[in-house]
Amino acid sequence: MIRLYMSMSLDGFVVGPDDSVEEPMGRGGFRLFNWLDDRDSDGPSGQVYAEALATGALIAGRRTYEHAGRWHGDHHDGVPMFILTHRADDVPPGTAVYVSDVAECAARAKAAAGDRDVLVHGAGAAQALLRAGLLDELELHVVNVLLGQGRRLFDNLPPEYIELENVRQLRDRDVTHLRYRVVNATREDAAAPTPG
């Protein structure tokens, strides 16, 4: 199972305005992670966080990877990291490898994860996987805030709709964790652009 895990504002932003390597979440964007204060709890946020850490591989876009400080070479537990990118101009640290083809990236991540799920981070990676019909589920941590500006999670999708089925809703302090199964998705040509 390839599952997106993303925190977002109610108006669809995953970072605030002016995000950069120096300010990875943009202005005000770290507000989207306040729910992580409860990640060690027995409540819904603790459950969702534990599920994310139980995944066996990671897919992320290059922008997310760089803005996250490359996770210092290890996202969690030394799992393999597959970074979708147009450019492989250096050797990434730790278990990360660069992949330019979205289908190859998904196949390699699933093989590396074995019987565990694959975690996806980043708007670019999510959009590329959705366009290719390779994303199975979305776990969205919808935070009780309107950011107003920034980078939206689903801005660059084709005009065809993607049908989703809500399979879980967990409410916690300041956040609702929503899980959707992708019912149908339009598959683009394998040469579709990958995130940069």
Side-chain angles (χ1 to χ4, degrees):
M1 178 88 51
I2 298 179
R3 182 181 297 125
L4 174 69
Y5 285 86
M6 289 290 290
S7 294
M8 63 187 282
S9 64
L10 190 59
D11 51 350
F13 293 100
V14 294
V15 298
D18 304 320
D19 64 309
S20 65
V21 171
E22 294 76 26
E23 195 166 356
M25 291 302 297
R27 287 184 282 114
F30 277 108
R31 169 65 179 80
L32 299 177
F33 293 117
N34 285 1
W35 71 269
L36 287 173
D37 290 346
D38 295 323
R39 67 181 170 264
D40 295 323
S41 76
D42 293 330
S45 292
Q47 175 186 340
V48 168
Y49 186 73
E51 290 169 357
L53 293 184
T55 55
L58 168 87
I59 295 174
R62 180 72 179 258
R63 178 187 178 110
T64 297
Y65 177 64
E66 296 296 343
H67 286 202
R70 298 178 169 199
W71 292 295
H72 306 288
D74 180 18
H75 186 274
H76 66 281
D77 299 331
V79 300
M81 297 186 286
F82 299 90
I83 310 304
L84 275 169
T85 184
H86 291 296
R87 55 186 170 78
D89 52 0
D90 64 339
V91 177
T95 62
V97 294
Y98 293 136
V99 185
S100 60
D101 178 81
V102 68
E104 177 189 351
C105 186
R108 289 177 69 179
K110 284 176 82 168
D115 61 353
R116 297 191 289 169
D117 291 337
V118 175
L119 181 150
V120 177
H121 277 326
Q127 292 165 22
L129 289 161
L130 277 169
R131 283 192 302 266
L134 297 170
L135 191 61
D136 299 307
E137 290 188 345
L138 293 78
E139 180 82 38
L140 303 175
H141 319 298
V142 181
V143 179
N144 303 345
V145 68
L146 301 172
L147 285 186
Q149 294 182 2
R151 181 173 166 90
R152 281 198 167 99
L153 181 54
F154 300 118
D155 260 355
N156 298 307
L157 292 175
E160 297 82 15
Y161 70 87
I162 297 171
E163 194 69 41
L164 305 173
E165 176 189 358
N166 183 263
V167 295
R168 183 172 80 178
Q169 296 181 49
L170 301 173
R171 289 195 176 102
D172 208 350
R173 183 173 57 99
D174 201 34
V175 65
T176 303
H177 304 284
L178 300 171
R179 181 175 291 177
Y180 295 95
R181 184 174 61 85
V182 178
V183 176
N184 71 325
T186 303
R187 294 183 186 272
E188 277 193 355
D189 185 286
T194 57

